[in-house]
Amino acid sequence: MSEDNTYRLQGLSCTNCAAKFEKNIQQISTVEDVELNFGASKLKIKGLVTVEQLEEAGAFDGIKVYQESEQPTEDSTPFWKKNANFPTLLSLFFIIVGYTFLFQIGEDHMLTIGSFAVAIIIGGAVLFKEGFKNLLHLDFDMKTLMTIAIIGAVLIGEWAEGAVVVFLFALSEVLESYSMDKARRSITSLINITPKEALIKRNNEYVNVLVKDINIGDIMLVKPGNKIAMDGQVINGGSSINQSSITGESIPVFKTKGDEVYAGTLNEEGSLEVLVTKRAEDTTIAKIIHLVEEAQAEKAPSQKLVDRFAKYYTPAIMLVSLLVAIVPPLLFGATWSTWIYQGLAVLVVGCPCALVISTPVAIVTAIGNAARNGVLIKGGIHLEQTGRLQVVAFDKTGTLTKGTPEVTTVMPFSEHTEEKILTYAAAIEEFSQHPLATAITNAFKKKSGEKITADNFNSITGKGATASIGKINYKIGSPSLFEDHPTFSDDLVKKIAQLQAGGNTVVLLANDEEILGLFGIADTVRKGTHTIIEQLHRIGIKQSVMLTGDNQLTGEAIGKSIGISDIKTNLMPEDKLDAIRAIQQSYGNVAMIGDGVNDAPALATATVGVAMGSAGTDAALETADIALMGDDLEKLPYTIDLSRKALKVIKQNIGLAFGLKLAALLLTIPGLLTLWIAIIADMGATLIVVLNSLRLMRSRFL
């Protein structure tokens, strides 16, 4: 019976090495299927295999293999101090010695040649071992091409250049490995933020238990200053929790009994008892890690294009190299050694490494940066599409607004006070479950007034309620409930209309003799929403749209107050879907921002579906293309800006990879291309591409 196992990798330095590692594993007889995620350094295998077998398959690149449950220790040793890099430094030493002899006693002296030969052997031992093995199997990867080039240089007497090429190639491998490890730290930093064990109540006392042995229903104690190890619900205590690792929020959130807490977040001040609600592999942070890794494995459209091109690029370069080496001597009587040398240089400069790595390193870095800032982008394709957005459409309730109505206006009439009408209204509404009733009772609680009791409560469906306070009967509800009241006047109608024009729902309070006052209640706009809309337009979003089921008066009042340019009201879910399709026909790429559960058709139809406040919400994490983990729209401009920067970086990388190689190849026309120019062009292109991509790690939205 076959087994499915997942492993984490260390030392996976380049895409060519990843492809070869995968191929070596496939040759193990007990392995049925292999899936290697280069961006996340992760390996999935179907079949029976040992870690030792896997490490043997990756020995050519020094790849270390760990079980998925293990947390690989991060090597903090500076890369120039690592033992694996010692041969590179020693090779440089013998090159310096060789050039010293070259200038003192000439290039043909045995000491000069011997020094360069030692530099080639020491610096290129690993390269040659793999290169020769590949030659026997007719496997023409980068190391094979380099081996042929260096051997050719030695055969035509270019000992110095052969040694320099070996050193520069080894140095580029070291730097590329270092850079890719740095790009991947966004994942390892997520993996390592959760504690390995927690204090769990067993037999009425707290003991340390490994997270993998903690069960749903266990009671966990979280002391001040400790990280929370498991997702759960607070059952005792209260404390401020720093949730930045999950939601990207910089301000701690106070949690008390009944509130959810997440693994990997930091308990700052109080002690908490938490009921564990999820196993370690199902926690929110575990899902985020899984989804980010899957996102980095998914190839973006530009990467697929580059991969298809690279498939034909390497054979083409080998053919060009052969033609450069033999055509001038055969057809034009040129010197064989000169043009064989030029052909070898073409072989070196044509290595496709920079081109192949140009897109994935940018995708890995951008998605990792977003994850650290509380934004989950679920694939390279979504990153690219977000970078091309023209229009952003918002669901109103719970997205642009807080989603819970609040009292915005208290207007007493005659001799009555705000405190009195709020106290009387709250006494009646205490018996109702309606959201508007809850808004009034919440407003009263904030005022901390003296509570009174109402009797004989009676609900009037769809309109309001009645009750008695003392011996007087009171009525509260919508204006339509009071149209036959003796004090319902034209002046009152104007006041109601003004409040409704501002997006408020109006509630009146009256007794049999007079209307005591009114309340304006609205779903209030999120703080800073107007600024967010301005930022979106500033970074190039052509149109902002609000899609809401509210009436036109309410919808336009809210939309205009925050700077939305297009407001569509009275929409059912199917109408929102039609609206998204119409926008796509007019503008092209459109994002729909909602809660990830409601308005599902519109979210699915939009070019990019963005879910709000997704921390702990399984449905939102699974359905959205992008999830804003905190209940915070401020991350939206950052996400679009990051995606646009990533698109620019990808285009720059592809242009740089092609440009440097083309410039070097053009030097073959006058016969000026040398091996050291070729290797610098190849190494330079790779390093520039990687370093350019790493700029995305520090990308911040201003």
Side-chain angles (χ1 to χ4, degrees):
M1 183 178 174
S2 62
E3 292 183 10
D4 290 336
N5 289 299
T6 304
Y7 303 90
R8 299 195 178 278
L9 308 173
Q10 271 191 340
L12 194 62
S13 60
C14 69
T15 50
N16 284 325
C17 301
K20 183 166 184 180
F21 182 43
E22 191 171 12
K23 186 178 178 182
N24 289 349
I25 294 171
Q26 285 169 341
Q27 292 172 352
I28 299 173
S29 59
T30 53
V31 171
E32 297 173 31
D33 191 32
V34 184
E35 185 182 326
L36 196 150
N37 181 337
F38 172 69
S41 255
K42 201 170 178 181
L43 181 69
K44 291 182 181 178
I45 291 180
K46 186 176 183 180
L48 295 169
V49 67
T50 64
V51 169
E52 289 74 20
Q53 285 177 298
L54 295 174
E55 290 191 342
E56 187 179 342
F60 68 93
D61 201 34
I63 297 168
K64 295 293 180 186
V65 181
Y66 299 86
Q67 296 286 349
E68 186 183 24
S69 56
E70 290 183 60
Q71 295 183 350
T73 53
E74 202 169 305
D75 190 356
S76 58
T77 309
F79 76 96
W80 60 85
K81 289 185 179 180
K82 292 182 178 179
N83 292 334
N85 300 327
F86 181 70
T88 305
L89 296 173
L90 198 57
S91 174
L92 175 62
F93 171 75
F94 280 104
I95 287 172
I96 294 169
V97 171
Y99 270 105
T100 304
F101 285 140
L102 186 148
F103 293 124
Q104 296 292 329
I105 55 180
E107 63 180 343
D108 296 326
H109 196 281
M110 289 302 296
L111 285 175
T112 305
I113 294 173
S115 298
F116 287 131
V118 171
I120 290 170
I121 292 167
I122 292 174
V126 175
L127 167 67
F128 297 143
K129 181 181 176 183
E130 288 304 312
F132 284 126
K133 191 186 295 183
N134 292 346
L135 270 174
L136 291 174
H137 295 94
L138 298 178
D139 182 6
F140 293 98
D141 69 358
M142 184 173 60
K143 290 182 178 177
T144 316
L145 302 185
M146 293 300 300
T147 300
I148 294 170
I150 294 162
I151 291 171
V154 168
L155 291 176
I156 60 175
E158 298 291 343
W159 290 93
E161 290 205 26
V164 171
V165 167
V166 164
F167 167 71
L168 290 175
F169 177 75
L171 181 62
S172 71
E173 290 270 280
V174 168
L175 292 175
E176 185 182 336
S177 176
Y178 167 75
S179 301
M180 280 306 301
D181 284 345
K182 192 170 183 179
R184 290 189 185 108
R185 280 176 197 161
S186 57
I187 294 292
T188 55
S189 64
L190 286 175
I191 294 169
N192 292 326
I193 65 171
T194 52
K196 295 180 182 179
E197 56 185 24
L199 283 169
I200 300 295
K201 199 171 196 177
R202 297 279 164 89
N203 299 321
N204 290 323
E205 62 179 11
Y206 285 101
V207 294
N208 279 311
V209 177
L210 293 172
V211 291
K212 65 183 180 67
D213 297 325
I214 298 173
N215 300 312
I216 294 172
D218 280 342
I219 306 297
M220 174 173 65
L221 177 65
V222 187
K223 295 180 179 179
N226 287 357
K227 282 187 176 179
I228 298 171
M230 305 288 287
D231 280 15
Q233 187 178 56
V234 177
I235 58 173
N236 193 17
S239 179
S240 292
I241 306 295
N242 186 330
Q243 299 187 149
S244 59
S245 57
I246 300 288
T247 66
E249 297 168 285
S250 57
I251 300 172
V253 179
F254 189 80
K255 302 277 186 174
T256 188
K257 188 175 180 179
D259 290 333
E260 278 189 295
V261 293
Y262 308 115
T265 58
L266 179 65
N267 179 25
E268 293 198 337
E269 51 192 35
S271 184
L272 296 174
E273 281 190 320
V274 176
L275 178 70
V276 175
T277 56
K278 294 180 182 177
R279 292 186 59 82
E281 60 270 22
D282 298 323
T283 60
T284 300
I285 190 67
K287 287 180 180 176
I288 291 171
I289 292 165
H290 173 73
L291 290 169
V292 171
E293 289 174 337
E294 293 301 309
Q296 292 182 333
E298 182 186 344
K299 291 185 178 180
S302 56
Q303 186 178 345
K304 291 177 181 177
L305 181 65
V306 167
D307 287 349
R308 283 198 301 271
F309 180 81
K311 185 178 179 182
Y312 304 102
Y313 174 82
T314 303
I317 283 292
M318 293 189 68
L319 179 61
V320 169
S321 174
L322 181 63
L323 293 175
V324 167
I326 65 174
V327 169
L330 284 176
L331 299 184
F332 305 106
T335 308
W336 277 99
S337 60
T338 299
W339 287 96
I340 288 173
Y341 177 86
Q342 290 289 300
L344 294 171
V346 169
L347 205 61
V348 172
V349 82
C351 285
C353 193
L355 183 63
V356 172
I357 208 171
S358 60
T359 301
V361 70
I363 296 292
V364 167
T365 307
I367 289 176
N369 181 334
R372 290 200 314 276
N373 284 281
V375 179
L376 182 59
I377 303 174
K378 292 172 62 177
I381 184 171
H382 306 306
L383 181 76
E384 287 198 14
Q385 287 172 333
T386 304
R388 297 189 179 100
L389 288 174
Q390 301 295 313
V391 181
V392 175
F394 297 91
D395 174 42
K396 181 185 76 72
T397 305
T399 301
L400 294 172
T401 63
K402 294 178 181 177
T404 53
E406 294 179 3
V407 173
T408 59
T409 304
V410 180
M411 188 182 296
F413 300 148
S414 302
E415 302 295 321
H416 305 293
T417 64
E418 286 188 17
E419 184 180 353
K420 178 181 177 180
I421 66 169
L422 188 58
T423 302
Y424 277 50
I428 301 167
E429 297 288 33
E430 187 178 11
F431 298 97
S432 174
Q433 298 299 314
H434 194 280
L436 297 180
T438 304
I440 289 172
T441 55
N442 286 341
F444 173 74
K445 288 174 184 175
K446 287 179 183 176
K447 294 284 186 182
S448 301
E450 187 176 340
K451 188 176 179 181
I452 62 173
T453 304
D455 300 306
N456 305 315
F457 174 83
N458 183 42
S459 176
I460 305 171
T461 305
K463 289 191 174 183
T466 62
S468 59
I469 299 173
K471 295 182 179 180
I472 302 173
N473 294 322
Y474 289 88
K475 188 187 295 184
I476 188 168
S478 64
S480 61
L481 188 62
F482 299 88
E483 288 174 353
D484 58 352
H485 196 281
T487 61
F488 195 82
S489 63
D490 290 340
D491 183 51
L492 179 58
V493 170
K494 288 180 183 178
K495 289 176 181 177
I496 291 169
Q498 285 176 345
L499 282 171
Q500 288 175 334
N504 290 274
T505 299
V506 176
V507 173
L508 301 180
L509 174 68
N511 56 31
D512 294 337
E513 296 178 0
E514 62 177 333
I515 296 176
L516 281 70
L518 61 75
F519 303 92
I521 301 174
D523 182 7
T524 54
V525 173
R526 290 177 182 272
K527 185 180 178 183
T529 303
H530 189 277
T531 304
I532 291 164
I533 301 300
E534 286 182 343
Q535 289 173 338
L536 290 173
H537 290 295
R538 194 174 76 236
I539 62 175
I541 294 299
K542 293 179 179 177
Q543 188 88 337
S544 55
V545 183
M546 186 175 80
L547 307 178
T548 178
D550 278 352
N551 62 68
Q552 186 175 351
L553 211 57
T554 302
E556 288 190 352
I558 290 176
K560 287 177 181 176
S561 72
I562 58 177
I564 294 282
S565 51
D566 188 6
I567 301 155
K568 300 183 186 299
T569 57
N570 297 304
L571 300 180
M572 298 295 286
E574 58 269 25
D575 298 325
K576 292 183 180 181
L577 174 60
D578 292 338
I580 291 291
R581 285 175 175 161
I583 294 167
Q584 284 176 321
Q585 287 179 352
S586 301
Y587 291 94
N589 293 332
V590 56
M592 174 67 187
I593 322 297
D595 63 8
V597 181
N598 297 328
D599 306 315
L603 282 164
T605 303
T607 313
V608 179
V610 182
M612 279 282 294
S614 306
T617 309
D618 293 346
L621 287 174
E622 295 300 328
T623 58
D625 301 320
I626 295 176
L628 306 181
M629 300 307 294
D631 200 16
D632 184 5
L633 261 185
E634 289 182 3
K635 299 295 181 185
L636 185 61
Y638 153 78
T639 305
I640 295 174
D641 186 59
L642 174 67
S643 300
R644 293 195 167 178
K645 287 176 181 174
L647 265 185
K648 285 181 184 176
V649 165
I650 289 168
K651 290 173 183 175
Q652 290 166 357
N653 286 351
I654 294 171
L656 287 165
F658 268 122
L660 277 173
K661 289 181 183 296
L662 182 61
L665 288 172
L666 289 174
L667 292 175
T668 58
I669 297 171
L672 297 176
L673 183 62
T674 63
L675 279 173
W676 67 267
I677 289 177
I679 190 66
I680 285 176
D682 177 59
M683 179 184 78
T686 302
L687 290 180
I688 289 171
V689 159
V690 171
L691 293 173
N692 191 41
S693 299
L694 290 180
R695 290 190 302 122
L696 293 169
M697 289 185 74
R698 299 184 180 277
S699 179
R700 296 287 183 271
F701 185 75
L702 301 176

